[in-house]
Amino acid sequence: MTNESFWCIVALLDFRESDDDAIIAPAITALARMDEDEICAFDDTLATKLFALDTREHARHKYAGEIDVDNGDDYISADDFLYGRCAVVAKGRAFYEKVLADPRAMPTEDDFESLLYLATQAFEKKTGREFDHASPLSYESFSNVAGWKPLPETRPGIFTGAGVPPGNRRPT
């Protein structure tokens, strides 16, 4: 899937609707018209874009004034951070590129979890089968170890280290 094709599908999200199922319906329909490999490629591209936003600096600006991302004792919800990154992608190419280039543009309140299920729903609509695809790159929060490279002010705490479940473990 080309980058252009990916953003064309994302552009079909209809935020004039009030419920997430209705918002993603046009994108699901369009993606379901593509072949199975393209649906998987959409999912891989989404994972790549979410991974790129999974950085200490993006988190710092999402939680500014609430959480110190350098303090390992401050809890960051892995899901909340993921859904916030989904909102950035859902707002389209220009907004994504702006936030990717300048983490200070990261929104503090937005989330759009439903974007994660677009490929799954398109695949199931097309084939009637379960979507059994795993992207080679993880979009889960804190997966981008380079993006969470510790800084001199980074301190370990109760939400870092081997004893913390991987979904909530921040690199230190």
Side-chain angles (χ1 to χ4, degrees), residues 14-166:
D14 187 357
F15 285 101
R16 296 171 299 180
E17 297 290 343
S18 59
D19 115 322
D20 286 4
D21 290 337
I23 291 169
I24 67 171
I28 290 170
T29 298
L31 191 56
R33 288 188 195 117
M34 297 181 174
D35 65 36
E36 293 176 28
D37 288 340
E38 287 292 294
I39 296 171
C40 291
F42 176 90
D43 199 49
D44 293 346
T45 302
L46 175 61
T48 299
K49 294 192 181 311
L50 293 171
F51 181 86
L53 293 170
D54 181 23
T55 74
R56 182 179 301 278
E57 287 308 304
H58 286 92
R60 181 182 317 287
H61 293 287
K62 176 167 178 47
Y63 300 110
E66 295 177 43
I67 296 170
D68 177 358
V69 299
D70 292 310
N71 181 348
D73 286 332
D74 278 1
Y75 176 74
I76 298 173
S77 167
D79 287 342
D80 184 66
F81 187 48
L82 171 59
Y83 304 157
R85 290 181 287 127
C86 286
V88 172
V89 175
K91 289 183 178 201
R93 184 181 201 163
F95 188 73
Y96 171 81
E97 289 174 355
K98 175 183 175 182
V99 173
L100 184 62
D102 183 2
R104 293 172 300 179
M106 183 77 182
T108 59
E109 297 296 324
D110 297 344
D111 65 66
F112 196 67
E113 176 185 3
S114 294
L115 185 64
L116 296 173
Y117 313 115
L118 203 158
T120 300
Q121 291 180 19
F123 186 89
E124 291 173 358
K125 180 176 185 171
K126 178 177 191 67
T127 67
R129 298 188 325 264
E130 184 176 321
F131 188 56
D132 187 24
H133 172 74
S135 292
L137 199 57
S138 175
Y139 57 67
E140 295 295 345
S141 295
F142 320 125
S143 295
N144 183 350
V145 175
W148 282 89
K149 184 178 177 183
L151 303 172
E153 60 270 21
T154 303
R155 298 172 311 282
I158 61 173
F159 296 109
T160 65
V164 180

